Amino acid sequence: MFRNAVITGACGGLGQALAQELMASGAQVALVGLNRPALQALAALAPDRTRIYTPDVSDASAMQAMASEWLAHHGTPDLVIANAGVAGGFETADPADLVVMRRMLEINLLGAATTFQPFLQAMLDSQRPGALVGVASVAGWRGMPGNGAYCASKAGLIAYLQSLRAELRPSRLTVHTISPGYLRTALTAGNTFAMPGLLEPEAAARALLQGVARGREHIVLPRRIGWLSQALSLLPARWHDRILLGQPRKPRAHQAGATPIPGLSDTHTSS
């Protein structure tokens, strides 16, 4: 099992569950997130083996500073999980939503690169096995009405991870793409549409870590949601779109039930 791990988005949901699993196994864990009280409560479970960091994952300089401190005090990680992510509805006709899309891309897509980059050379130099894990989504497999920003960010992440995996084939590092369906977290709490295969984050964390340890490069959580998505993709595009158009849409940033997106101006979220 992994002994030295870095996890972004560790404040709750899947990230928190991953941290708890790793800490329970005896690993040293860098807890990265924006909610310091939540991270402090989590770190209290293993204070001698954890450190708390609160950078914006889209800020490359802040992420490099975090990585430098972790490397200096705890050494080179054998597991880096880019889990930080935000979600929300998107309407192309509304110019205010362009800000939402930019911020979502910064966190969900750029944030993965800024998470891996500061650790990559040290992991390569160690010549030891290691894993880079990106938490994407089945939403990255196909665009959905009213969810263009999120789908685009996760589709971009999937492509980025494919590229990184190819680049690192000659090394002892592996790259893993995680595609969750619906997890019971704050990101799905405001959803009013059906969420088939809804999975608890603790179960998802265990399956993710087991899959990565076994070398699985593509992990869908739960597997049956992947089968459902693939089955729907066999339909003609017009039929598929018609089914999706009949579903309620994810709340946008200013609507009831929307989850907060860090870095968005108050003028947008309250408009």
Side-chain angles (χ1 to χ4, degrees), residues 140-187:
W141 298 1
R142 190 187 194 282
M144 296 183 290
N147 212 16
Y150 183 73
C151 292
S153 70
K154 293 302 186 179
L157 177 55
I158 290 170
Y160 165 66
L161 294 169
Q162 289 173 335
S163 298
L164 186 60
R165 183 178 300 115
E167 294 165 11
L168 295 177
R169 286 289 184 199
S171 75
R172 302 191 69 187
L173 303 184
T174 54
V175 178
H176 306 263
T177 303
I178 314 302
S179 293
Y182 297 109
L183 305 184
R184 195 185 301 277
T185 68
L187 293 185

Side-chain angles (χ1 to χ4, degrees), residues 91-112:
E91 177 58 62
T92 300
D94 186 346
D97 272 13
L98 293 176
V99 178
V100 175
M101 186 174 202
R102 181 180 297 110
R103 188 63 182 140
M104 210 172 290
L105 290 168
E106 288 174 348
I107 296 172
N108 294 359
L109 178 52
L110 177 62

Side-chain angles (χ1 to χ4, degrees), residues 211-264:
V212 172
R214 292 169 183 165
R216 289 175 53 200
E217 294 179 346
H218 303 274
I219 301 172
V220 182
L221 303 170
R223 288 189 180 185
R224 61 183 179 276
I225 196 66
W227 300 333
L228 176 60
S229 296
Q230 290 172 347
L232 286 172
S233 70
L234 298 176
L235 294 173
R238 288 180 180 272
W239 295 6
H240 196 170
D241 290 343
R242 191 169 300 167
I243 292 172
L244 295 177
L245 283 168
Q247 299 298 312
R249 297 193 179 188
K250 192 166 185 68
R252 291 162 60 204
H254 62 286
Q255 294 176 330
T259 53
I261 298 179
L264 282 186

